[in-house]
Amino acid sequence: MSEPRTAAAVFDALGTDYEEAFAGSAAHRASLEQLLEVLPPHARVLDIGSGTGRPTALTLTDAGHTVLGVDVSPVMVEIAARQVPGAEFRCVDIRELPLEDSSFDAVCVYFALLQMSREEQADVLRLAGRVLRPGGHLALATVPLDVEGVSGTFMGQPVEVTSFGEKEFTALVEEAGFTVLSRESNMFVPALPAAVPEPQMFLLARRR
Ligand SMILES: C[S@@+](CC[C@H](N)C(=O)[O-])C[C@H]1O[C@@H](n2cnc3c(N)ncnc32)[C@H](O)[C@@H]1O
């Protein structure tokens, strides 16, 4: 099998193909609707692993919020900046971007942790807690599987995937300083030839 690629290399290669396969997720849209219900007007939102900007940054800017999208893939950032001109996008690894404490009303992390080690995923959740104001909200999604460093192929790209089971991931979010308000699990079939259903889990949490 080929060497696993970095997140930047995988998503540079996928570009808008990722959006075509995944942006139709009703559960992702429902999670955004839930976030919109708890946001104050003109909220400041950080979108970690912002991808093509759709649906997350677009939905939030359309609702009058200010979005900073951060993504390590130059191709994804270029697409997002074009598709969602009302948001700001930065091409950098989220762990290397200096951000002020308590400076956001909400943080989104939709499917952006899966190419990180378990320790790195915990670090990003703590980072989300640090940059959120107390009482701010975290909208999060992952593929809840108990796997560590498993080699596979994602949309034709060699990848190494790490994740947690549902309970373990929920506990990790709580340990990072959050109260989990809701947890929705579903099976999603990406719009790809011969795709099989894959588990997804969406959490809405509040910084304690
Ligand atoms: C599976 S895609 C999801 C994109 C978007 N959140 C969505 O749900 O449509 C994951 C995104 O996270 C980005 N990403 C992965 N690791 C990252 C990191 N350390 N810092 C910033 N972005 C990262 C990838 O480049 C990719 O665009």
Side-chain angles (χ1 to χ4, degrees):
M1 182 169 303
S2 336
E3 278 294 298
R5 299 196 179 146
T6 61
V10 169
F11 288 94
D12 275 352
L14 293 179
T16 50
D17 289 352
Y18 178 81
E19 181 180 313
E20 280 163 29
F22 286 90
S25 164
H28 192 150
R29 282 161 199 276
S31 162
L32 286 168
E33 287 301 321
Q34 215 184 4
L35 177 61
L36 288 178
E37 278 171 26
V38 296
L39 283 181
H42 311 294
R44 187 159 187 251
V45 184
L46 174 67
D47 184 13
I48 296 178
S50 43
T52 66
R54 296 200 300 217
T56 302
L58 183 64
T59 303
L60 293 166
T61 54
D62 278 353
H65 303 297
T66 300
V67 177
L68 172 61
V70 178
D71 203 291
V72 78
S73 152
V75 170
M76 291 306 235
V77 168
E78 186 273 318
I79 295 167
R82 187 160 30 84
Q83 296 194 140
V84 194
E88 180 189 352
F89 294 96
R90 304 278 296 272
C91 185
V92 60
D93 187 313
I94 187 59
R95 296 162 292 181
E96 284 162 21
L97 181 64
L99 291 167
E100 250 181 69
D101 290 3
S102 305
S103 56
F104 290 92
D105 298 297
V107 175
C108 296
V109 191
Y110 287 109
F111 304 108
L113 301 176
L114 294 152
Q115 284 179 267
M116 296 180 195
S117 69
R118 288 185 164 172
E119 210 171 299
E120 289 170 329
Q121 296 192 29
D123 285 346
V124 173
L125 294 175
R126 281 192 288 268
L127 181 159
R130 179 179 65 73
V131 303
L132 267 177
R133 64 168 171 78
H137 287 85
L138 173 68
L140 194 71
T142 194
V143 175
L145 293 175
D146 180 14
V147 292
E148 201 169 0
V150 168
S151 298
T153 304
F154 176 68
M155 295 182 71
Q157 303 294 312
V159 290
E160 205 171 81
V161 176
T162 295
S163 191
F164 297 84
E166 289 196 2
K167 276 192 193 149
E168 292 70 23
F169 191 75
T170 306
L172 201 70
V173 171
E174 288 169 344
E175 279 159 27
F178 292 92
T179 301
V180 173
L181 304 175
S182 75
R183 183 165 92 177
E184 300 292 333
S185 301
N186 67 296
M187 297 298 286
F188 177 70
V189 186
L192 292 168
V196 292
E198 59 181 56
Q200 297 184 329
M201 179 175 74
F202 290 82
L203 297 181
L204 181 67
R206 186 170 53 220
R207 188 187 151 190
R208 284 196 292 272

